[in-house]
Amino acid sequence: DQQVKQNSPSLSVQEGRISILNCDYTNSMFDYFLWYKKYPAEGPTFLISISSIKDKNEDGRFTVFLNKSAKHLSLHIVPSQPGDSAVYFCAASDPFGNEKLTFGTGTRLTIIP
Amino acid sequence: DAGVIQSPRHEVTEMGQEVTLRCKPISGHNSLFWYRQTMMRGLELLIYFNNNVPIDDSGMPEDRFSAKMPNASFSTLKIQPSEPRDSAVYFCASSQNRESFWQPQHFGDGTRLSIL
C-alpha cells in the first residue's frame, strides 16, 4: 500500500520554464513533507520541506505547495536549469512515527537545453 | 564535514552468500536509517536506530536481514543467505533528532548490491 504516490515517473521541461512535480498522499496523519533530489550514483539530498500548518514554503527557485484537503503537494522549480535534471522524491512523516519517512517512487526530471 | 560513509559502493556475490553492508553516520547524529531502493517500490525504510537502539524494524523483509549498531559511529546491515531478489541499492542515512525541532536525514551514496 503506497501511502505516498508520485504518479509521473518522468517529466521533461525546457530550460528556463517552470517544472512542476506532483505528489499525493493517503495518510491524513502526515504532518511534515519533504522533497529530496537524487543524482545518479549519489544518495538523495534534502531540498525543501513544509509543515502541515503552512500551505507554501519558498527557497530561491524552489517552492513547495501543500493542499491538505486534496492531500496533494507540488514542487515548483522556476526557472528550470540543466543542473536540475535528477530524480525527485517526495516524502512524508507523521507525529507518531518518530522520524520515520515514507517516500514516493520518484519522478525523473529532465531539463532540455 | 564528512558525510554519511557507506561501504562497499558495489557488491556482487553469488546467491546463498552472506553480505554485510557498512555505514558510518555523520558525527553527532543520533539517528540512523537503512533504506532499500528498487524501481518498483522506490525508497523503503528497512530499520532505524535512535541512540544505537533499534526503534522500528517493521520494514525488514524477513529473517534473512539483520542490522546492528554497536556504537554511535558504526552500523551494519547483514543479509544471510542472500537471494537474487535482494539486488537493489541500499542507502544509509543519519540525522540529529532533537525534541524541539525536526532535522532532515542525510544520505550516504549507497551500496549497489547484485546477487547472481
Side-chain angles (χ1 to χ4, degrees):
Chain A
D1 177 30
Q2 200 77 10
Q3 295 187 68
V4 178
K5 300 176 186 178
Q6 294 178 255
N7 293 318
S8 299
S10 62
L11 176 68
S12 294
V13 174
Q14 206 79 29
E15 181 180 357
R17 299 288 187 111
I18 184 170
S19 295
I20 300 176
L21 294 97
N22 294 304
C23 179
D24 297 296
Y25 61 96
T26 57
N27 187 344
S28 57
M29 298 304 297
F30 286 147
D31 67 343
Y32 206 83
F33 304 88
L34 307 90
W35 285 93
Y36 278 80
K37 176 179 178 180
K38 184 185 179 304
Y39 292 121
E42 294 183 10
T45 55
F46 170 71
L47 190 57
I48 192 169
S49 64
I50 188 166
S51 164
S52 60
I53 62 173
K54 295 185 175 181
D55 53 21
K56 177 183 173 182
N57 188 27
E58 196 171 346
D59 183 0
R61 295 184 300 114
F62 303 92
T63 304
V64 55
F65 294 92
L66 176 63
N67 182 335
K68 288 186 289 294
S69 60
K71 294 193 181 69
H72 177 83
L73 65 156
S74 60
L75 174 68
H76 292 212
I77 307 173
V78 56
S80 301
Q81 299 174 353
D84 297 330
S85 294
V87 176
Y88 290 78
F89 290 97
C90 169
S93 72
D94 68 72
F96 306 106
N98 294 301
E99 301 170 84
K100 195 171 170 177
L101 288 180
T102 302
F103 281 85
T105 50
T107 297
R108 180 177 301 278
L109 175 66
T110 303
I111 304 302
I112 304 164
Chain B
D1 285 345
V4 175
I5 299 172
Q6 290 186 246
S7 64
R9 288 299 311 275
H10 303 274
E11 175 86 15
V12 181
T13 192
E14 291 189 348
M15 180 175 68
Q17 297 297 308
E18 178 178 293
V19 172
T20 300
L21 310 182
R22 296 172 176 80
C23 176
K24 178 178 168 55
I26 292 172
S27 177
H29 283 191
N30 60 350
S31 293
L32 183 139
F33 308 81
W34 282 102
Y35 289 90
R36 178 171 66 178
Q37 184 190 10
T38 60
M39 289 292 292
M40 290 300 295
R41 301 177 69 86
L43 274 165
E44 296 178 279
L45 178 67
L46 300 177
I47 185 171
Y48 85 93
F49 296 84
N50 183 254
N51 293 325
N52 312 339
V53 175
I55 302 299
D56 186 336
D57 65 355
S58 60
M60 295 287 261
E62 47 197 274
D63 291 346
R64 297 185 298 105
F65 286 68
S66 63
K68 292 182 179 179
M69 192 163 185
N71 57 62
S73 59
F74 183 66
S75 176
T76 58
L77 178 68
K78 192 171 289 189
I79 309 172
Q80 165 65 14
S82 56
E83 295 182 5
R85 61 192 167 120
D86 302 330
S87 299
V89 181
Y90 291 80
F91 288 101
C92 177
S94 70
S95 70
Q96 191 174 45
N97 180 27
R98 298 286 174 89
E99 262 187 49
S100 58
F101 60 92
W102 192 93
Q103 286 286 301
Q105 296 174 19
H106 298 258
F107 283 75
D109 286 338
T111 295
R112 181 172 294 277
L113 178 63
S114 297
I115 308 297
L116 306 177

